[in-house]
Amino acid sequence: MKKLIRILSLMVQSCLWECPDFFKLDGEQILIVSPQDMCESDAFHNGNNAIYLTGTYDNKTHIFDYQQARAIDDGIDFYAPQTLEAPDGRRIMVAWMQSWDNFIKPVHQKWANMMTLPRELSMKDGHLIQQPVRELNQYHTNHVSYDHYHFTNEITLPGISGRMIDLTVTIHSQNYHECTISFAKNDKYHVDFSYNKYKNILELDRSHCGMIRDCVAIRRKKLRYVHDELKMRIILDRFSAEIFINDGEQVFSTTFYTPLDAKDITFSSPDDLIISVDQYDIVL
């Protein structure tokens, strides 16, 4: 553990690394930990992070030889994840959808904080893959679909709206500058998720969700793995969004507090764009 401790000491200013979880996944040893008071780097954001380390574990010496450290979630609200092994062998992870320093709950709200959806974990080429548990599919109703839809500027699509939905958007175009999906939207409020293809940057922006505190509102990260198409699965639950990129290769999680009647969803791009859209209402 000396090597692990030395490496983490360089990454964090505080000695507090919360909620450790150590397990084997698809033949690899994984250590999850939530270090506090980190300085920003290409891989991590300022403040409290949730990270996973991959390496090898010696059962005789009980030494975990760290090789890689990566962020679990690139959004604004994700901390202290813990996992369990389901009876069928799946590794399931749940996290606190909040950060110590980004508390934006409205004063009149009678409850605080929430948990993420349970996520199925797997490994691919040394990277953690996260997908919503498959059990969510049994709560799908009212399917609406658009296949290879062309548009320019800003559009709404009939039937694509809501606050408890499972929405998948695939961008088929190759030559475009930027695309933005705005959700939980009305004339005053909205939350935006954008991809700038030229810069290869994903951006989550909740600046216009009704925040009245000086908290983190924008998070930008590079798209780690570029494919011919960009697939975004956005799961909304009243006051939260979990956005799974390219079948869970990257995830952005955030809370927001736009009014519940802000249900509109828009798509915008300055270029001619081709997208496919699939939406299901989630009814429990």
Side-chain angles (χ1 to χ4, degrees), residues 175-282:
N175 299 315
Y176 66 97
H177 178 268
E178 189 173 15
C179 177
T180 298
I181 305 169
S182 300
F183 52 86
K185 181 177 181 180
N186 60 13
D187 293 338
K188 183 177 181 180
Y189 302 106
H190 57 91
V191 181
D192 299 332
F193 190 73
S194 305
Y195 177 56
N196 186 307
K197 193 172 190 293
Y198 289 169
K199 296 181 179 179
N200 194 37
I201 293 293
L202 296 161
E203 178 181 286
L204 175 63
D205 185 350
R206 63 178 184 183
S207 301
H208 300 282
C209 77
M211 293 173 58
I212 60 172
R213 296 180 177 86
D214 188 15
C215 293
V216 174
I218 297 175
R219 179 80 20 93
R220 299 183 183 95
K221 287 290 181 180
K222 284 188 176 182
L223 176 64
R224 295 196 193 107
Y225 320 108
V226 179
H227 303 279
D228 290 339
E229 298 180 332
L230 177 62
K231 182 179 179 182
M232 297 166 283
R233 184 179 179 185
I234 304 172
I235 300 181
L236 301 184
D237 182 8
R238 292 191 181 90
F239 300 107
S240 68
E242 296 175 65
I243 304 171
F244 298 82
I245 308 299
N246 291 332
D247 296 315
E249 291 181 343
Q250 204 164 346
V251 189
F252 287 74
S253 300
T254 188
T255 59
F256 56 85
Y257 295 95
T258 69
L260 285 175
D261 60 1
K263 298 180 179 181
D264 294 343
I265 296 174
T266 61
F267 306 89
S268 59
S269 175
D271 310 298
D272 181 44
L273 210 63
I274 305 171
I275 62 173
S276 291
V277 181
D278 280 279
Q279 177 184 302
Y280 293 90
D281 291 338
I282 299 174

Side-chain angles (χ1 to χ4, degrees), residues 1-283:
M1 290 295 284
K2 290 183 179 179
K3 181 179 179 181
L4 171 62
I5 292 172
R6 184 169 64 252
I7 295 295
L8 284 180
S9 296
L10 297 175
M11 297 165 55
V12 299
Q13 297 175 342
S14 168
C15 63
L16 183 57
W17 311 329
E18 293 195 299
C19 306
D21 190 4
F22 188 58
F23 54 90
K24 191 173 184 178
L25 180 65
D26 294 341
E28 298 197 47
Q29 299 289 348
I30 311 295
L31 174 64
I32 285 178
V33 67
S34 296
Q36 296 186 344
D37 301 330
M38 294 181 67
C39 290
E40 184 173 11
S41 67
D42 289 340
F44 307 108
H45 57 77
N46 290 324
N48 306 321
N49 280 255
I51 70 175
Y52 71 98
L53 302 102
T54 57
T56 57
Y57 177 70
D58 190 317
N59 287 307
K60 294 182 179 179
T61 62
H62 303 295
I63 292 176
F64 175 65
D65 187 16
Y66 151 87
Q67 296 169 356
Q68 297 287 341
R70 298 183 175 94
I72 298 175
D73 191 293
D74 289 324
I76 298 172
D77 294 303
F78 185 93
Y79 192 69
Q82 292 287 277
T83 72
L84 57 85
E85 185 176 13
D88 60 6
R90 286 178 293 164
R91 177 63 58 171
I92 308 297
M93 180 179 69
V94 178
W96 182 38
M97 199 184 292
Q98 183 60 56
S99 179
W100 291 111
D101 302 318
N102 288 319
F103 195 59
I104 64 169
K105 180 186 78 70
V107 174
H108 64 273
Q109 190 112 297
K110 295 182 179 180
W111 54 271
N113 305 323
M114 63 191 82
M115 308 301 287
T116 66
L117 283 168
R119 302 176 185 180
E120 297 183 17
L121 303 183
S122 61
M123 296 298 293
K124 179 182 178 182
D125 299 326
H127 298 273
L128 188 67
I129 304 299
Q130 306 169 65
Q131 292 272 40
V133 290
R134 63 197 68 175
E135 285 82 358
L136 179 66
N137 297 340
Q138 65 185 314
Y139 301 106
H140 284 172
T141 62
N142 304 324
H143 183 215
V144 180
S145 179
Y146 293 85
D147 185 42
H148 286 75
Y149 188 92
H150 290 247
F151 77 94
T152 308
N153 299 321
E154 183 176 276
I155 62 164
T156 60
L157 295 173
I160 304 298
S161 65
R163 288 290 283 265
M164 292 182 64
I165 62 170
D166 190 341
L167 173 71
T168 298
V169 181
T170 303
I171 301 177
H172 302 291
S173 303
Q174 297 298 309
N175 299 315
Y176 66 97
H177 178 268
E178 189 173 15
C179 177
T180 298
I181 305 169
S182 300
F183 52 86
K185 181 177 181 180
N186 60 13
D187 293 338
K188 183 177 181 180
Y189 302 106
H190 57 91
V191 181
D192 299 332
F193 190 73
S194 305
Y195 177 56
N196 186 307
K197 193 172 190 293
Y198 289 169
K199 296 181 179 179
N200 194 37
I201 293 293
L202 296 161
E203 178 181 286
L204 175 63
D205 185 350
R206 63 178 184 183
S207 301
H208 300 282
C209 77
M211 293 173 58
I212 60 172
R213 296 180 177 86
D214 188 15
C215 293
V216 174
I218 297 175
R219 179 80 20 93
R220 299 183 183 95
K221 287 290 181 180
K222 284 188 176 182
L223 176 64
R224 295 196 193 107
Y225 320 108
V226 179
H227 303 279
D228 290 339
E229 298 180 332
L230 177 62
K231 182 179 179 182
M232 297 166 283
R233 184 179 179 185
I234 304 172
I235 300 181
L236 301 184
D237 182 8
R238 292 191 181 90
F239 300 107
S240 68
E242 296 175 65
I243 304 171
F244 298 82
I245 308 299
N246 291 332
D247 296 315
E249 291 181 343
Q250 204 164 346
V251 189
F252 287 74
S253 300
T254 188
T255 59
F256 56 85
Y257 295 95
T258 69
L260 285 175
D261 60 1
K263 298 180 179 181
D264 294 343
I265 296 174
T266 61
F267 306 89
S268 59
S269 175
D271 310 298
D272 181 44
L273 210 63
I274 305 171
I275 62 173
S276 291
V277 181
D278 280 279
Q279 177 184 302
Y280 293 90
D281 291 338
I282 299 174
V283 179

